[in-house]
Amino acid sequence: MLFVVAVLGLGLIRAAFYQPEALRNNDVPAVEAPAPASAGKCGTQPVRAVRELRGMWLTTVYNIDFPSKPGLPEAQVKAEYLRWLDLAVAHNHNAIFVHVRPSGDAFWPSKYAPWSNWLTGKLDGTDPGWDPMAFMIDEAHKRNIEFHAWFNPYRGTQPAPSGAGTDLAKLAPNHPLLAHPEWRIAYPQGRTGRLYFDPGVPEARKFVEDSMLEAVQKYDVDGVHFDDFFYPYPEKDQDFPDDASFAKHGGGLTRADWRRENVNTLVREMQQRIRAIKPWVKFGISPFGIWRNQGEGSDTKGLESYSAIYADTRKWVREGWLDYIVPQLYWTIGFDKADYAKTLPWWAETVKGSKVQLYIGMADYRIGEKGDWSDPAQLDKQMQLNDKFGVQGQVHYSAKQIRANRLGAVDIYRSRHYAGPALPPQMQQLPAAPPAAPRITGANRGKDGTLTFETAPGGQATSWALYRTGDTEAALVATGRAGAPVVDRKPPSGPATYCLTGLDRTGNEGPPSSPFTTAAS
């Protein structure tokens, strides 16, 4: 339990480990998936593809997912990462969220932060001699998977003994909290203490932003991603000791309002600065699943992000500071204090009318726990509700839970929701340049039965989508990065008609090619 508290935070543990006082009927009526988007016609048939983000969190802190342990050689780290991408491909995912700044450190050569000890096995900032970020992004893109760089803004260390805790002697020589003690806050007291960048110090906030934006400037990331950690989750009888910064910068606000405004400023400025650097990069946050209870909030009785960690998540949506939001709804359908079937509609209503896309953080890690989590179909039922309420994607916590496939739960939801490929949802607020129609000029059938197409580009495309006609429509059968072979791995044995489209960097699809009909095998 101490390990889990150290990673997730006490408030999240309180919510995650509630048990329902009485079980309810978990049956969810069967519903249809969201209507696929249409990009035109392949001959006489409409071209349709599911538009849905599908991803998983690849957690590096405490080596929860990756690397399997600290201090591994470069070749082994790379091999492990490629196996995670293989898993993503096997489950028809189109995005991966990689923990590249878990606690004031970095998985890239940074002038703002020391190297992560979860990579190197050392707290002294030792250079591993290679660039994991460049490798991870390049390999994800080869598989046409979006790479979302996952940052924890304010955390400066993790608790000892795996992390430095609050022991300054264990910090790397180039750690910014050594050079700037005025930015540094230790919380909580005792052996689970960490160092934090004080969110109330404007210079510290600017430095934290700069350290994350360095990765945006240097690398071809598709998204910038935060999870639920802003101000720390509350500890019993201990308040976050920010008296000095509040006295200097409080500006007449209550401490709670001032803290919320500090986080609001970080979120707003990050969105503005990302747009200025690379306007196609998406910005999203995965907050705790309860904004506020009752009233304008959800029909819940749990910890509130608004008052506990000063995260005014609803405001971020209403102000349009995010491109997507991924609330962590880590509770079952029928759970007394936070019923999935009640929190989900609240979030769907919150994003309604905005340009902010709603994805849901799915609790794969809880499958197999007692109570309703012992039902292997629990996640499938939740995803049926997601479809019903217009959710545009899911992110699963975490990668190793997908691989573990406890109780066969992953097999169930994969077969019912991720059986075929999907394109990421379009975002109308991002730049759009749909490429002209490409051409299919030939096809070759391999000994393994696959069909590989000869193609000619029609314009500057980032990726492609391959469609095959059926009885009434042309369905998406494969996707890939521009330059990668166009392949249908499971073609019919008889003649089949195909069309190809190109997509720009933000997923806007151009018109289909002219139809191309293959010969029978």
Side-chain angles (χ1 to χ4, degrees):
M1 177 63 76
L2 286 177
F3 166 78
V4 179
V5 169
V7 176
L8 298 179
L10 184 59
L12 186 53
I13 292 301
R14 287 174 183 151
F17 283 89
Y18 282 140
Q19 289 299 318
E21 296 172 2
L23 299 180
R24 301 178 185 178
N25 183 354
N26 274 4
D27 290 338
V28 178
V31 295
E32 294 183 1
S38 175
K41 288 188 175 182
C42 182
T44 60
Q45 292 190 0
V47 170
R48 298 195 185 278
V50 172
R51 285 278 187 172
E52 178 180 52
L53 183 125
R54 302 169 181 171
M56 60 186 180
W57 282 292
L58 189 65
T59 314
T60 59
V61 65
Y62 289 96
N63 302 105
I64 288 175
D65 295 315
F66 165 79
S68 58
K69 61 181 181 180
L72 294 176
E74 175 184 347
Q76 187 170 345
V77 175
K78 287 181 173 180
E80 288 185 0
Y81 179 71
L82 294 181
R83 286 195 291 272
W84 289 120
L85 291 182
D86 290 344
L87 182 72
V89 170
H91 287 269
N92 286 314
H93 287 190
N94 51 29
I96 190 167
F97 297 75
V98 182
H99 215 182
V100 296
R101 178 192 163 92
S103 37
D105 49 0
F107 269 69
W108 72 94
S110 172
K111 66 180 182 180
Y112 295 94
W115 280 98
S116 177
N117 65 293
W118 313 115
L119 173 70
T120 67
K122 298 179 180 179
L123 291 167
D124 61 5
T126 297
D127 188 338
W130 65 290
D131 189 340
M133 183 84 102
F135 172 80
M136 292 189 294
I137 294 171
D138 183 55
E139 292 296 330
H141 285 171
K142 286 179 182 178
R143 293 155 178 81
N144 203 33
I145 294 173
E146 289 187 351
F147 186 96
H148 292 245
W150 169 15
F151 305 92
N152 286 122
Y154 295 132
R155 285 185 166 182
T157 63
Q158 293 290 347
S162 299
T166 58
D167 187 348
L168 300 180
K170 292 183 178 179
L171 296 182
N174 64 332
H175 199 294
L177 293 182
L178 277 180
H180 294 278
E182 72 279 11
W183 297 352
R184 187 173 69 223
I185 288 184
Y187 180 84
Q189 298 176 4
R191 59 181 179 174
T192 61
R194 293 183 179 88
L195 295 179
Y196 287 86
F197 291 85
D198 186 348
V201 176
E203 295 80 8
R205 181 182 67 245
K206 172 67 162 48
F207 183 90
V208 167
E209 291 177 8
D210 290 345
S211 68
M212 296 183 289
L213 291 167
E214 178 190 47
V216 177
Q217 292 170 323
K218 290 178 64 173
Y219 298 99
D220 193 19
V221 300
D222 298 289
V224 170
H225 182 76
F226 298 167
D227 57 22
D228 55 305
F229 294 122
F230 295 97
Y231 277 87
Y233 282 91
E235 299 282 345
K236 186 177 181 180
D237 300 325
Q238 292 189 53
D239 191 20
F240 190 67
D242 56 0
D243 290 350
S245 55
F246 178 55
K248 185 174 182 179
H249 302 290
L253 296 173
T254 67
R255 192 180 300 241
D257 285 341
W258 171 72
R259 287 175 174 173
R260 272 187 290 274
E261 188 54 32
N262 291 334
V263 180
N264 289 342
T265 301
L266 173 80
V267 174
R268 182 181 66 251
E269 290 182 350
M270 281 296 293
Q271 191 258 1
Q272 293 170 344
R273 298 182 69 187
I274 291 167
R275 287 287 189 272
I277 297 169
K278 292 180 179 177
W280 60 88
V281 172
K282 303 171 184 179
F283 179 40
I285 294 178
S286 179
F288 184 72
I290 299 172
W291 171 67
R292 301 191 80 173
N293 296 308
Q294 310 301 322
E296 294 184 58
S298 49
D299 184 7
T300 47
K301 294 174 281 188
L303 179 142
E304 299 177 337
S305 68
Y306 180 89
S307 54
I309 55 174
Y310 308 99
D312 192 353
T313 51
R314 189 182 70 166
K315 183 178 180 70
W316 308 341
V317 171
R318 289 184 167 183
E319 295 292 338
W321 295 337
L322 305 177
D323 296 308
Y324 65 85
I325 193 162
V326 196
Q328 298 169 17
L329 303 189
Y330 292 168
W331 310 289
T332 56
I333 298 166
F335 176 45
D336 182 60
K337 295 179 176 62
D339 185 341
Y340 190 97
K342 293 181 179 179
T343 54
L344 174 64
W346 185 88
W347 282 103
E349 184 64 27
T350 296
V351 302
K352 188 176 181 179
S354 77
K355 295 180 181 179
V356 180
Q357 293 183 353
L358 176 63
Y359 315 145
I360 299 298
M362 306 299 296
D364 291 51
Y365 77 101
R366 301 204 64 188
I367 289 294
E369 293 180 13
K370 63 181 181 179
D372 291 353
W373 286 113
S374 63
D375 176 7
Q378 177 65 218
L379 293 174
D380 167 52
K381 293 172 182 177
Q382 293 180 3
M383 291 169 71
Q384 289 183 45
L385 280 178
N386 293 354
D387 289 343
K388 178 180 178 180
F389 284 95
V391 172
Q392 293 183 270
Q394 288 84 212
V395 186
H396 297 266
Y397 187 82
S398 66
K400 75 174 183 180
Q401 308 302 335
I402 297 174
R403 179 178 286 171
N405 189 24
R406 286 200 295 269
L407 306 183
V410 177
D411 287 341
I412 292 172
Y413 73 66
R414 182 194 182 280
S415 66
R416 296 178 181 174
H417 301 274
Y418 298 166
L423 303 177
Q426 296 164 279
M427 291 184 171
Q428 57 182 293
Q429 67 271 30
L430 301 185
R439 291 182 294 126
I440 301 177
T441 58
N444 300 294
R445 194 177 295 269
K447 294 180 180 179
D448 58 357
T450 61
L451 270 175
T452 300
F453 294 87
E454 299 169 9
T455 65
Q460 190 67 37
T462 298
S463 60
W464 52 262
L466 181 68
Y467 296 85
R468 185 175 65 226
T469 60
D471 293 336
T472 59
E473 64 183 30
L476 181 68
V477 294
T479 68
R481 204 75 171 177
V486 179
V487 181
D488 183 0
R489 301 197 177 280
K490 296 181 179 180
S493 57
T497 299
Y498 292 85
C499 286
L500 185 69
T501 64
L503 294 92
D504 67 11
R505 180 59 189 267
T506 54
N508 299 286
E509 193 170 17
S513 67
S514 298
F516 181 92
T517 301
T518 63
S521 59

